[in-house]
Each structure stands twice: as structure tokens, then as C-alpha cells.
Amino acid sequence: MKPIRTFNVVPSLPGPLEGLRRLAYNLRWSWNHDTIELFRRLDRELWEEVGHNPVLLLGRIDQARLEAAAADAGFLAHLERALADLERYLSGELTWFTRAGGRRQGTLVAYFSAEFGLTESISVFAGGLGILAGDHLKSASDLGVPLVGVGLLYQQGYFRQYLNEAGWQQERYEDNDFHTLPLTLERGPDGKPLAVEVAYPGRAVRAQVWRVQIGRVPLYLLDANLEVNRPEDRDLTDQLYGGDPEMRLKQEILLGVGGYRALEALGLNPNPPVYHLNEGHAAFVALERIRRLMRSEDLSFAEAREAASAGLVFTTHTPVPAGHDHFPPELLGRYLGEYARELGLSLEGLLALGRKNPADGRETFGMTTLALKLAAHSNGVSRLHGQVTRRTWRELWPGVPEEEIPIGHVTNGVHFQSWISLEMNQLYERYLGPSWREEPADRALWQGVYSIPDEELWRTHERRRLQGQLSRRGASEAELEAARGVLDPEALTIGFARRFTGYKRATLILSDPQRLARLLNDPAHPVQLIFAGKAHPRDEEGKRLVQRVAELARQPAFARRLVFLEDYDMAVARALVQGADVWLNTPRRPLEASGTSGMKAMANGALNLSTLDGWWDEAWQGADPDEPIGWAIGRGEDYPDPALQDRLEAEALYGLLEQDVVPAFYERPGGLPRRWLARMKASIATLAPRYNTHRVVREYTQRCYLVGAERFRALAETGWGRARALAAWKERLQAAWPQVRVEAVKADLEGDLRVGQALDVWAWVSLGPLTPEEVRVEVYLGRLDPGGELAQAGATAMRPVEAKGPGRHLFQAEAVPCQMSGLHGLTVRVLPQHPDLPVPFLPGLIAWAGPESVAQQTSG
């Protein structure tokens, strides 16, 4: 039966408790232990039952309890303290961003992501990508960076997991009730819900806008489940990563195009000069920004593209091909054919933006390709991932050396306050001081870890045992019963929790069950192994891995030492990273982009045991060998045979556990594991200053946001004169480039050179109609690899010294140094040069000297 009217009923709070509503609707409570404890005081059992959702807690709690709290002087004092702390936080003027001078820039950043992991009670995330996005927003709030988030509000979100009798993963979807979540429906001046429209074939789809307040940062989420939409369009924001390619395309159009329009409807556009795309799902926002600039500023597509790209930042998170969205050309034509015409493009012109090879009419349209072609700044999420990403996408920059492809890296981090236990928080407060929360990237601050007495650190660590953490997060009675029967508070606890998919190799440690059983069941040195994680609903291989763990856990040899926790979510993750002694990570190198669960465990005092992939590769290589911070499985070898790699690294893993990890944990002179505690302190002191999202957001702000905002404003000067001039110059450059060539090269080489000795190089270059000021001519010199290719090479700029006729110029580089011994080579290259180019490499525009260019003597 349909109602004739709908209305929302809000919790009724006694006057003295009205401040609870303000606390509940600002997610700063999710990383503030004192505020969480305030809500727990109302009803601890109900707090767990409602999934740590304070809005639902206030709606369900017995009114008598509220009345009792309103008369409790202690509770009211606690409430007053929490409110005062929130007000101080929100009104704080001396944030890092203010101190760094950012406020003068007038920067506003719009951060787009398909998922956001903020708290377990708001199910709009699937895994690491969403958790990273949520932590990014929290750190932006802490640092005072003016940022807004944009995403989709899913009716069912990601699935809930349970295992059947055979141990096979089953999925259950539950509807979110937005009115009982810490969400606010945005309204227009007329009081009606704020909504935007996006065109789909034959109709328009409307989506209303909800806001989640995350400290100082608002997150706007679009919801298409409206009666004015067709039933199939109401399902558009039903499930995260659900449906077929057409559904994914519809969602990504809504995210990018609709998200931009939502900011416009909120009065925030065209103010954000910077747009940060967290993975390719949001790449259509770049096209919508171009379209709006074309309309509002009377720019051509090429001119608007230069303006929009200047402030566009793109982060890719996966080296795995399946992680990048591709759509068939006919699907793009059906959904974006008219949109292409609004951009002044043919359909083929639009498709070319998403293709590695635009001439291939059969190639699919790639969202990552689109983002890489349009963004002024692109990056991976670890040093190794940056290298892999440059290799993967080198086709977009033909002729550019792999190490110079304009894709950098900003290594991921985590928001410590969201993940550390109450006990570790108190320990850091005592020995690092309160500034650790505001300046976790300060390396000197973390040296205070070494002043923590071993006895106190170990007591804190023991109180963090997993059974207690599960109880706090509201584990089911079945899970608690399993914990009571399985989890030994004195045993070495190894945690493994992440998405179950083939390359993450969850079962690597299970590859020799007999050897593992002996290790786990050693009566003097017991070990327990805790697994958690979900496989994607369509990932059959991942589901088989889950089943393998579940089956082994039921065998008598493992019944008291191995457990799989169902329905992995933020609460389970928090319990595991706070309760584990060792964090295990076994991805097949180099397929892990970054990985952040080990960072969360590290901040809680756990030690990492991992293959050298993702973040651990650079963390391990950058650590002091005299102060061990954990363990590395292998040495970062590359194996052409995955099966061989698995066998060798499983053997290395068992060897480390048997010979180093377990003995170190149980070596306790004087009753304490001194060697283990030394590793814990070294791990925290070395890694915590680096692998936190405060450092990440600061890095993005300094390297990308402020630079992008300044570049965008510069192109807008004098009626977008610089944007128009840059687009016109690029058009002229493209037409002239076929005439650019290096005719001859001469170097003053006679015999062998000594290390440190320099040489002079001359090059005769034909530029056609271009001037020497429009190009950069460089000597490219370095050692040769066994294949005769230049490696470890560097570029030295050459200066024009003489015109040699129409379009022909002589360039010279003086005193080019040779820094290393060995067989060397050199060549000369020509690149475009313009003061408004964000990077020196434009696709297809690089001219290298060929073998015919070598000249020992020339008359000029």
C-alpha cells in the first residue's frame, strides 16, 4: 500500500541532550574515542546492535534511558566536554593549511570517488579504494584543506557475506535507510530536496543530493532512487560495482556529470579550480567541466580542455587490467553520442579520448585512458606502482623513456585516529604528546616511541587481544563463541584481512598444511591464524580461496588455531589490526598497488610480514638495516613462472616463521620479548611518520592542488587569453612537428673518458616553422644495458647558438658530465617547450636523433 504523504520522524531528545544530535551528524565522532564513549554510555549493547550508528541509536533508545542521562551530572559533563571539543575543532583557525599559506590561494578541491569508507554504519564502500578515500577526507578535515567529496549513495551498498555449509561465500544485500544514518538531505532555496538531472537515451534521470559532514569537510552523495525516475533508473544507485557494463557506465556518467552538476547546484561551481579523480570511475567529470567552460566562457573544446586539464589530478589504484573500466564503442555511442556533439566532437573524436590507439575503431573506451589524457597530474599509489603504471601506459607517450612518462606516485597512508585502539591512543598521548594527532608526519615526534617503557608497551599490547576487540565491535554470538574456543590470548596471532582474489594469494601460507599444522600447534610456542575478507560476487577464483580457508579451519588439526571471520567490514578490520601481533600480506609482486591494512596494523604495534610489493617494497628498502621493522618474504625477485614464484615464496614464508618470527616472539629474558619490542618501536618510529594520510594530503596539496589552482587561474587571465593561446600553439605545433628532425650530432670524443670528465655536444636541428624558443633540445646520455639500450640516462639542455638557414639551427651543450664508469651512449632529442605546459611530454611529439644523425665533422 502506497502512502499518500511521507514525512521523516527524528529522535526526541530532552533539552539537555540536544547536543547529541550535533555530535551524531558530524562524523568526526568516528575518530574521536571520547565521543564514541559518550554514545556507548547511553546503551552499550544497543550501540553494538545498531552497528555504531549514533543516529539510529538515538532513534531506538528507550526514552527512559534518555531521561536518566539528562539527569546524570556526569553524563552531561561528558556531553559538554565532547561538544566543546568539536566546536574547538571546527572553529580552529591555525590549521596546517592556513599556516602553509594555502588560504591566500583561494583553493577549493573537489574529490570524486565511486566509494567512500567512512564508518561501518554507512555502507557505500567495498574495500581499500573506499577506505583510502574516507581517510583522505578525514585528514583533509584535520589539516584544514578546503575540500569537498563527491560520490554516489547506494541503496544497498556492498554485499554482506556469509558462508554456507560447504564454506562457499554467499552474498546478502540489505537496504540502507538513509533517514536513520548520519546524512542530511540538501535542500534548495524553496525548501525542496536539491536534485540534478543527467540525460540518458530518451529520458532524463534525476538524483537528489545528500550530505555527510566529516569534520570540516562535506561529502555530497547522489541518490537516484526517486519516484520520478523509471524503475530501471531508480536502480542506478542500488549496488556498488553491481550490474553489467551498461549499469556501470550509467553509474559513472551520474558520478562524473551528475556530480559536477551537484556542485553547481550547491553554488560551489565554478569555484573549485582543482578536481581530484580517485580512480577512473569519475573521469567523466573532466568532460563535463570542459562542456561547462565551453558554454560559460565561450571557449572551443581545445581551449576549454587546456583550462580544465590544468587543475585535474588523477590517481589510479590498480596494476591489474580487470581493475580498469572499459566500455564497448556502441555503448558509448548510445549514451554519449549527443553529449559528444555538445562538446563539438564527433563520436569518433570522443572515443579517441579513451583509446590508447585512436585509429583502432574496435578498441574499447577506457576510463583510465581518458583520465590520463586529460589530467595535468597523474600518479600511482606507491613507488613500485608508479613504475608499473608507467610501463602499463607507455603506449600513450610513444618514444618517451619509461622512467620519464609523466605518471608519478604518491604513496598511500591511513588516518591513524580512525584505526588505532583506545589503549594505543592513550600511550601516544602520554609519550608523544597531543601534537601526534595533528602532526603525524613529523618524524622527530615519533622518536618519542623509544621512550615508552618496554613493560608499558607490552601491557598495552596484551590488552589489545583480538577477543576483546571482537567484543567491542559487536561481533555475533557465534563469532564470540568461536573466539572463546579458538583464540588464545597468549599465542602469537597472525592476521590476514583483505579482498580475496587470486593475486593476493590468501592461501599461500596454507600451501603445506602438515608443516603449517606443526607450526600452529607447537605446545611451547603456539601460533594462531585469523583470516577475514570478501571475494567479489563474480570472482569464482576468489570464492574458492575463501572456501579453502573455511575448509581447513574445520579440520581437527586446525580447529583451535585457524579461524575465518565472516562479513569483513571496517569493524572487523579495526578489530584485527588492533589485535594482531603480525600482519601477513602475500601478494604476487608487482600486482599490489599499495595496500594499507599493514599500515593500520603498524600503527597499533603489529609487525608486518610481507612480500616486497606495494608500500612494503619502499618501506622495507628505506628502513635502517640495523633497526629491523618487520620481515620481507623474498628479495623482490621477478619470476616468469607464477607457480614457481608461489612455491619459492611459500618456502621463504615458512622459513621466516619457523626460524625468526616465532622464536623472536617467545624469546623473553626477564619475562618480556625484548627483541620483539625493539622491532615494534623501530617499526612505529620509522613507518608512522611516512604512511599516514596527513602526509598524503599534504603531498597532494603542495604538489598538485596549489600548483593546479595557480595554473588554472593563470590560464583564465585576460578572458582566458592564455588558455586560448596555449590551445592555438598546440594546434600549430601538431601541424609543424613532422618537419622537426635532428640532422646531425657531433661530440668531442677522443678515446676513453674518465668518471667526472665532461664533453661538449653540438646538434644541427631542423625546426620547420617553429622557433628555438618553442622547443627544448637535449643531450640524452647514460650507460648502455646488455641489449644496447640507454639505461640510467639523464638529459642535459642544449642552447641555440646559431641559425644555419631557414628553419635550421645549431644547438650546443657544454661540459656534459659522465658520472659513472662503463659503456655509455648518447643521443639528442627535441621536445615541445611552452611556459604553460604542465609536463614537457606531449603524446607523439618527441624527435630523436637517428643513426644517420651522427657527424664527426660538419661544415654547417
Side-chain angles (χ1 to χ4, degrees):
M1 184 68 67
K2 286 280 188 181
I4 59 173
R5 288 192 61 188
T6 61
F7 51 90
N8 189 35
V9 179
V10 299
S12 177
L13 298 176
L17 301 185
E18 189 58 38
L20 287 171
R21 198 186 316 272
R22 177 160 172 74
L23 291 173
Y25 278 91
N26 190 313
L27 259 61
R28 198 228 174 190
W29 61 259
S30 68
W31 70 93
N32 185 277
H33 287 289
D34 192 49
T35 307
I36 291 172
E37 181 56 29
L38 177 71
F39 287 118
R40 275 204 183 105
R41 284 181 67 167
L42 286 171
D43 190 325
R44 294 182 183 275
E45 290 185 7
L46 185 58
W47 173 255
E48 304 299 345
E49 185 182 319
V50 299
H52 303 168
N53 176 357
V55 174
L56 189 56
L57 173 80
L58 296 177
R60 286 192 183 177
I61 196 168
D62 186 273
Q63 196 67 26
R65 281 186 177 265
L66 290 176
E67 296 293 344
D72 183 339
F75 183 88
L76 293 178
H78 192 169
L79 172 58
E80 185 178 349
R81 182 174 73 241
L83 281 170
D85 183 58
L86 177 63
E87 292 306 323
R88 279 194 301 271
Y89 177 87
L90 295 177
S91 61
E93 293 293 325
L94 293 178
T95 64
W96 170 82
F97 187 76
T98 302
R99 295 195 305 273
R103 179 167 294 183
R104 294 192 300 272
Q105 302 273 352
T107 301
L108 179 63
V109 180
Y111 183 93
F112 280 67
S113 181
E115 52 173 300
F116 288 91
L118 301 163
T119 171
E120 50 268 30
S121 62
I122 302 179
S123 178
V124 292
F125 67 98
L129 174 69
I131 299 295
L132 185 280
D135 282 8
H136 192 102
L137 266 57
K138 292 173 183 178
S139 281
S141 171
D142 288 343
L143 294 168
V145 176
L147 182 145
V148 299
V150 181
L152 301 179
L153 184 59
Y154 303 99
Q155 190 68 53
Q156 295 182 336
Y158 207 50
F159 68 91
R160 306 296 300 269
Q161 177 200 55
Y162 66 98
L163 305 186
N164 65 17
E165 290 300 316
W168 191 256
Q169 174 182 291
Q170 304 290 300
E171 296 88 30
R172 180 178 70 250
Y173 290 90
E174 297 178 357
D175 283 338
N176 287 315
D177 180 358
F178 301 152
H179 295 281
T180 60
L181 291 173
L183 307 171
T184 302
L185 185 60
E186 289 292 311
R187 298 183 181 273
D190 58 0
K192 295 181 180 179
L194 194 69
V196 296
E197 282 193 356
V198 177
Y200 289 89
R203 80 276 189 196
V205 173
R206 287 177 64 83
Q208 60 187 9
V209 183
W210 296 79
R211 174 171 51 84
V212 187
Q213 194 64 38
I214 306 150
R216 301 177 175 102
V217 169
L219 167 62
Y220 298 104
L221 301 173
L222 275 62
D223 164 27
N225 187 15
L226 305 178
E227 290 188 1
V228 296
N229 293 328
R230 295 180 182 180
E232 64 269 24
D233 292 330
R234 295 186 67 170
D235 292 341
L236 208 159
T237 52
D238 197 12
Q239 295 177 2
L240 172 61
Y241 303 142
D244 57 13
E246 183 171 0
M247 175 59 79
R248 292 289 291 273
L249 177 61
K250 288 162 63 177
Q251 287 183 331
E252 293 180 13
I253 291 172
L254 181 63
L255 173 61
V257 178
Y260 185 97
R261 293 176 185 178
L263 294 180
E264 199 167 47
L266 289 160
L268 297 175
N269 271 334
N271 292 327
V274 177
Y275 287 77
H276 188 164
L277 312 182
N278 190 44
E279 201 44 273
H281 312 117
F284 287 133
V285 71
L287 294 180
E288 178 64 6
R289 194 180 191 206
I290 291 170
R291 191 186 74 88
R292 296 301 294 170
L293 285 169
M294 291 173 66
R295 285 192 170 189
S296 63
E297 307 300 331
D298 192 26
L299 301 174
S300 68
F301 175 83
E303 294 162 349
R305 175 179 176 173
E306 297 302 332
S309 294
L312 195 65
V313 180
F314 171 57
T315 298
T316 179
H317 289 260
T318 176
V320 181
H324 302 280
D325 286 338
H326 289 82
F327 299 109
E330 57 274 15
L331 195 61
L332 258 291
R334 181 146 48 94
Y335 276 88
L336 293 175
E338 179 59 35
Y339 192 83
R341 286 187 283 275
E342 292 183 33
L343 291 167
L345 300 174
S346 65
L347 178 59
E348 284 303 311
L350 176 62
L351 289 169
L353 292 172
R355 286 172 167 166
K356 288 184 176 181
N357 179 11
D360 183 355
R362 296 169 300 175
E363 185 181 341
T364 56
F365 183 93
M367 297 296 284
T368 300
T369 306
L370 174 65
L372 288 170
K373 285 188 174 183
L374 294 181
H377 182 100
S378 299
N379 66 273
V381 289
S382 70
R383 183 178 62 193
L384 181 59
H385 181 229
Q387 296 168 5
V388 172
T389 305
R390 288 190 290 275
R391 189 179 312 133
T392 303
W393 300 97
R394 62 184 181 272
E395 294 173 61
L396 296 181
W397 290 272
V400 177
E402 188 175 295
E403 65 273 11
E404 292 186 284
I405 287 171
I407 301 173
H409 75 275
V410 177
T411 302
N412 281 346
V414 298
H415 185 257
F416 286 158
Q417 287 182 267
S418 294
W419 297 102
I420 65 164
S421 67
L422 173 62
E423 295 83 4
M424 289 299 288
N425 178 76
Q426 293 169 340
L427 199 66
Y428 290 154
E429 291 279 339
R430 283 199 299 276
Y431 290 97
L432 276 63
S435 60
W436 82 270
R437 290 180 277 111
E438 301 166 5
E439 298 290 346
D442 183 351
R443 185 169 295 277
L445 179 148
W446 287 98
Q447 294 303 301
V449 167
Y450 291 110
S451 66
I452 301 173
D454 284 355
E455 294 79 6
E456 191 166 353
L457 179 58
W458 189 243
R459 283 199 305 271
T460 299
H461 182 73
E462 286 184 312
R463 284 199 298 270
R464 294 189 293 101
R465 289 303 182 185
L466 188 59
Q467 187 170 327
Q469 298 301 331
L470 286 171
S471 179
R472 285 185 191 176
R473 72 98 176 165
S476 68
E477 187 58 35
E479 286 175 316
L480 287 174
E481 186 60 34
R484 295 185 193 106
V486 175
L487 302 180
D488 180 352
E490 303 300 323
L492 170 64
T493 301
I494 301 174
F496 183 101
R498 55 191 45 82
R499 182 164 57 91
F500 271 59
T501 192
Y503 76 87
K504 292 182 183 284
R505 299 191 299 182
T507 59
L508 188 70
I509 194 172
L510 311 182
S511 56
D512 187 339
Q514 289 76 27
R515 190 173 180 182
L516 179 62
R518 290 194 300 271
L519 179 73
L520 298 186
N521 291 294
D522 185 324
H525 301 146
V527 179
Q528 56 197 9
L529 188 54
I530 316 298
F531 284 93
K534 296 177 178 178
H536 188 280
R538 292 193 292 274
D539 184 354
E540 295 296 308
E541 180 188 12
K543 289 185 176 183
R544 282 193 291 272
L545 295 175
V546 172
Q547 186 180 42
R548 171 65 175 147
V549 175
E551 286 175 341
L552 206 62
R554 294 171 182 174
Q555 293 182 12
F558 298 97
R560 294 185 55 80
R561 290 288 176 244
L562 192 155
V563 65
F564 181 88
L565 297 177
E566 298 180 29
D567 202 23
Y568 181 50
D569 64 3
M570 285 183 73
V572 173
R574 197 177 294 112
L576 282 169
V577 299
Q578 292 175 5
D581 299 303
V582 172
W583 197 255
L584 180 63
N585 190 27
T586 52
R588 184 179 292 118
R589 178 186 168 106
L591 298 179
E592 180 82 285
S594 178
T596 57
S597 60
M599 303 174 191
K600 303 176 185 106
M602 169 272 297
N604 281 287
L607 296 176
N608 278 273
L609 170 59
S610 176
T611 50
L612 290 176
D613 200 7
W615 81 286
W616 193 240
D617 177 70
E618 66 189 80
W620 180 259
Q621 305 292 352
D624 184 345
D626 295 328
E627 284 199 310
I629 57 170
W631 296 271
I633 303 168
R635 299 180 180 178
E637 298 90 347
D638 292 323
Y639 296 90
D641 180 0
L644 175 64
Q645 181 176 2
D646 291 352
R647 288 197 302 273
L648 293 177
E649 291 181 347
E651 177 63 32
L653 171 57
Y654 285 126
L656 280 170
L657 287 169
E658 293 165 345
Q659 298 163 28
D660 196 344
V661 179
V662 177
F665 185 80
Y666 286 105
E667 179 189 302
R668 302 188 181 185
L672 290 176
R674 303 285 182 182
R675 190 155 60 103
W676 189 274
L677 286 162
R679 281 187 187 250
M680 287 174 64
K681 291 180 181 180
S683 171
I684 296 169
T686 302
L687 303 178
R690 175 71 181 159
Y691 299 102
N692 62 81
T693 41
H694 278 48
R695 188 272 308 160
V696 172
V697 173
R698 285 171 57 166
E699 198 169 335
Y700 274 117
T701 300
Q702 292 167 329
R703 286 174 46 186
C704 309
Y705 298 164
L706 295 178
V707 173
E710 183 58 37
R711 188 181 296 129
F712 178 79
R713 279 190 288 270
L715 293 180
E717 290 175 0
T718 62
W720 301 93
R722 288 175 65 171
R724 298 178 198 273
L726 180 59
W729 176 79
K730 280 191 176 180
E731 184 178 1
R732 190 169 69 87
L733 189 75
Q734 291 277 1
W737 201 257
Q739 301 177 56
V740 175
R741 68 183 185 278
V742 180
E743 294 182 348
V745 176
K746 178 187 175 184
D748 60 346
L749 281 169
E750 292 185 8
D752 294 338
L753 296 181
R754 295 182 180 276
V755 172
Q757 190 175 346
L759 68 157
D760 296 339
V761 182
W762 294 265
W764 287 260
V765 181
S766 177
L767 296 178
L770 300 178
T771 68
E773 292 72 31
E774 293 178 292
V775 297
R776 179 178 174 89
V777 181
E778 297 176 333
V779 177
Y780 193 71
L781 180 149
R783 296 181 63 181
L784 298 183
D785 64 17
E789 297 288 329
L790 280 166
Q792 303 178 51
T796 301
M798 307 183 76
R799 60 183 179 86
V801 294
E802 187 179 354
K804 291 293 185 177
R808 192 165 178 265
H809 301 269
L810 174 64
F811 289 78
Q812 181 184 14
E814 296 177 304
V816 180
C818 291
Q819 305 287 10
M820 297 176 290
S821 62
L823 186 61
H824 280 62
L826 68 80
T827 186
V828 170
R829 67 186 185 185
V830 186
L831 303 170
Q833 180 171 269
H834 191 283
D836 287 330
L837 275 184
V839 294
F841 302 104
L842 295 176
L845 301 186
I846 184 170
W848 291 91
E852 72 282 355
S853 304
V854 178
Q856 296 302 320
Q857 299 290 335
T858 180
S859 62

